[in-house]
Amino acid sequence: MHDDNVLGDNIGSIALIDSMGGDLSVVNDAKASLAQMVCEIGGKEVKLINYLVENKHFSPLRGTVLKFSVKAPLFICRQWWKHHLASCHSEEQDGWNEQSGRYTSFKPEFYIPKVWYEQSKMNKQGSATAFAAECCRGFRITLMNQTERAFQAYEELLNADVSRESARMILPVNIYTSWVWTVSLQAALNFVELRNEIHAQGEIQRYAAFVESACYQVAPLVTKAYMNRTHV
Ligand SMILES: Cc1cc2nc3c(=O)[nH]c(=O)nc-3n(C[C@H](O)[C@H](O)[C@H](O)COP(=O)(O)OP(=O)(O)OC[C@H]3O[C@@H](n4cnc5c(N)ncnc54)[C@H](O)[C@@H]3O)c2cc1C
């Protein structure tokens, strides 16, 4: 499954490119404690899944793994990177592999939103209502001009034989980058819980909504139990 237009500009994208496990493997990882296995899921297994999730017995969720290919603006990538599980470079199972601005030159692909929002007065980190279309057009042009200037300067530095790793300093945070994220079902659900949520920035919410759909595809019963749990 994939969404090639997750931010509405035909550049931002996310795809589920691979997965391992699912509801049955979560059940069987839990049943390892009894040295038992089942071949299919019935009523007892559904009860077990609900019990595991409700009581935070999460380790069986770590044997199911999802792999995503993501293309997002750098400022979203940076928020995503705070999800240390599967992202932290000090972790043994670092599942984050990103395009390098040292090996490759960046393409002029920038996120230029159509709708701009006022700063919220209630929530320091959030937005309030959208500006009128005319204002939005003006803000869009400001960002486009600034972005073009920055990219021109980047190319000038590269043409002057400045190294890619130094030249990239001039690029703005709305430039697109891409990475592969390999993550356990537990960490993916934690990401969904925190980022497909109204306090998170609108752009990352859209990626998180896709991650939630992918979790439903790979492990529908576990995902449903996690989303409906009462004991958070
Ligand atoms: C709306 C919003 C606003 C935010 N604003 C900011 C901000 O202004 N500045 C900022 O720096 N960050 C900010 N964050 C990031 C936030 O603080 C978390 O770092 C991020 O959401 C990752 O969450 P996590 O730690 O649960 O995920 P992961 O790092 O993937 O961890 C998953 C889970 O593993 C466990 N875990 C992870 N590491 C440890 C550990 N060392 N010890 C014990 N248990 C651990 C915890 O149970 C954790 O929930 C914001 C996040 C949101 C959703």
Side-chain angles (χ1 to χ4, degrees), residues 82-85 125 187 190 194-195 197 199-200:
K82 283 292 313 258
H83 292 263
H84 295 282
L85 295 190
Q125 64 180 354
N190 180 61
L194 291 168
R195 300 296 184 175
E197 200 270 334
H199 296 101

Side-chain angles (χ1 to χ4, degrees), residues 134-146:
E134 183 113 347
C135 290
C136 290
R137 260 196 300 282
F139 298 144
R140 201 172 146 81
I141 289 168
T142 304
L143 181 61
M144 267 156 56
N145 289 343
Q146 196 66 21

Side-chain angles (χ1 to χ4, degrees), residues 1-56:
M1 63 188 286
H2 58 95
D3 183 347
D4 295 332
N5 194 21
V6 61
L7 292 185
D9 60 0
N10 289 311
I11 307 177
S13 65
I14 178 163
L16 176 70
I17 53 174
D18 212 346
S19 68
M20 178 180 85
D23 289 332
L24 188 60
S25 63
V26 170
V27 166
N28 281 329
D29 286 2
K31 282 183 173 282
S33 59
L34 302 168
Q36 288 177 0
M37 267 184 86
V38 292
C39 296
E40 56 187 39
I41 293 189
K44 263 173 37 187
E45 286 71 31
V46 174
K47 260 192 179 163
L48 174 60
I49 286 173
N50 288 331
Y51 174 84
L52 292 172
V53 170
E54 194 69 32
N55 292 286
K56 299 187 178 176

